Amino acid sequence: MKKVCALFLWGVPVLAVAQVNAPAAEPSAVVRCESEESRRVHCPMDVARGVQLVRQLSDHACIREEGWGTDDDGIWVDRGCRADFALLHPPVSRKVTRRVVRCESRGRTERCPVLLRGAAVRLLRQQSALPCKEGRTWGYGRNEVWVSRGCKGQFEVAAEDGSGFVDAPRQVTCESKERLRRECGVTVERRVTLVKQLSSAPCEEGTSWGWDRTGVWVDDGCRAQFSVD
């Protein structure tokens, strides 16, 4: 079968290549951190620019260095403090450009040609119910991206000048339906942070959601938006 290459034509079943504009991390992102039963809880967050408490949710007082504080990896709360936190100095919103390839498998292995010139590839967004796992259901070679076993996704190609991938967080929504485990493929280089819970069922890291370098997983009805670095 002859393959077709076009500029981000979503009707093309196998391949689409495009440059797209993607916003940097939302400057207004808020992280909710809650100490239940007066226990200490840690919530991952980028705190390099400083953090401020924007809304106290608990009857217990949230006093800095007593009921809450920060460390290198995020925020901690204790003594029943429950609150929303935001960046003290949010980054300036800007537009960034990604080199994106769309490649889809309909059960068998498909190979999508793309000029890489030695550039790396990472999974930007899984678009199939079946998982996209690097090395198992997707990968890349000299001048191609390949997918198999029903993996469908958008893949980011690093810049040709050697500067690497666009350094901006990626937003991923992952949903456990009917309380079943779901894996949402995305290449993770540093960490994953829960940005917004969408379900009434709790999303607790390590219990109903988690991540590794190949993606995010959710379980027991957890549905949420995640920020991926």
Side-chain angles (χ1 to χ4, degrees):
M1 181 183 71
K2 183 180 180 180
K3 292 186 175 68
V4 179
C5 178
L7 286 177
F8 218 56
L9 296 179
W10 291 101
V12 177
V14 176
L15 172 65
V17 181
Q19 287 190 334
V20 295
N21 287 326
E26 296 180 8
S28 59
V30 172
V31 171
R32 178 166 294 180
C33 204
E34 300 178 282
S35 166
E36 300 291 350
E37 299 180 356
S38 297
R39 295 177 181 174
R40 188 183 180 102
V41 173
H42 186 273
C43 299
M45 185 179 184
D46 184 357
V47 298
R49 297 181 179 87
V51 174
Q52 59 183 332
L53 189 157
V54 294
R55 183 186 179 195
Q56 181 173 313
L57 305 171
S58 58
D59 294 331
H60 297 276
C62 291
I63 301 173
R64 185 151 194 169
E65 303 306 331
E66 293 183 11
W68 75 277
T70 63
D71 55 28
D72 291 340
D73 299 317
I75 304 164
W76 57 265
V77 290
D78 203 351
R79 303 181 183 181
C81 170
R82 297 185 296 111
D84 289 339
F85 301 88
L87 295 180
L88 185 61
H89 302 290
V92 177
S93 182
R94 59 185 177 86
K95 293 290 182 178
V96 294
T97 301
R98 299 188 192 273
R99 297 175 62 206
V100 178
V101 176
R102 180 182 177 187
C103 200
E104 301 182 355
S105 163
R106 302 188 183 279
R108 62 183 183 181
T109 299
E110 297 287 356
R111 301 182 185 279
C112 302
V114 57
L115 189 61
L116 296 179
R117 293 178 178 172
V121 176
R122 68 180 179 183
L123 177 59
L124 181 65
R125 186 174 296 108
Q126 178 178 306
Q127 296 184 302
S128 56
L130 294 172
C132 293
K133 290 282 190 178
E134 186 174 3
R136 292 168 52 190
T137 57
W138 81 270
Y140 64 98
R142 181 177 179 183
N143 281 308
E144 68 176 17
V145 174
W146 62 265
V147 290
S148 66
R149 303 178 190 175
C151 167
K152 302 176 183 179
Q154 292 181 352
F155 301 88
E156 182 180 358
V157 180
E160 294 181 19
D161 62 6
S163 58
F165 299 106
V166 171
D167 188 15
R170 291 152 285 153
Q171 299 296 316
V172 172
T173 299
C174 200
E175 301 178 281
S176 164
K177 297 181 179 180
E178 298 181 355
R179 305 192 73 83
L180 298 176
R181 183 183 174 100
R182 170 86 189 278
E183 295 183 2
C184 300
V186 60
T187 301
V188 180
E189 296 179 348
R190 291 189 290 270
R191 63 184 173 182
V192 175
T193 305
L194 191 153
V195 175
K196 183 178 182 181
Q197 181 174 309
L198 304 175
S199 58
S200 55
C203 292
E204 300 176 353
E205 187 172 7
T207 302
S208 55
W209 79 272
W211 60 275
D212 59 25
R213 63 174 299 274
T214 65
V216 182
W217 60 266
V218 290
D219 205 348
D220 293 331
C222 169
R223 298 184 295 109
Q225 294 176 350
F226 301 91
S227 178
V228 179
D229 292 288

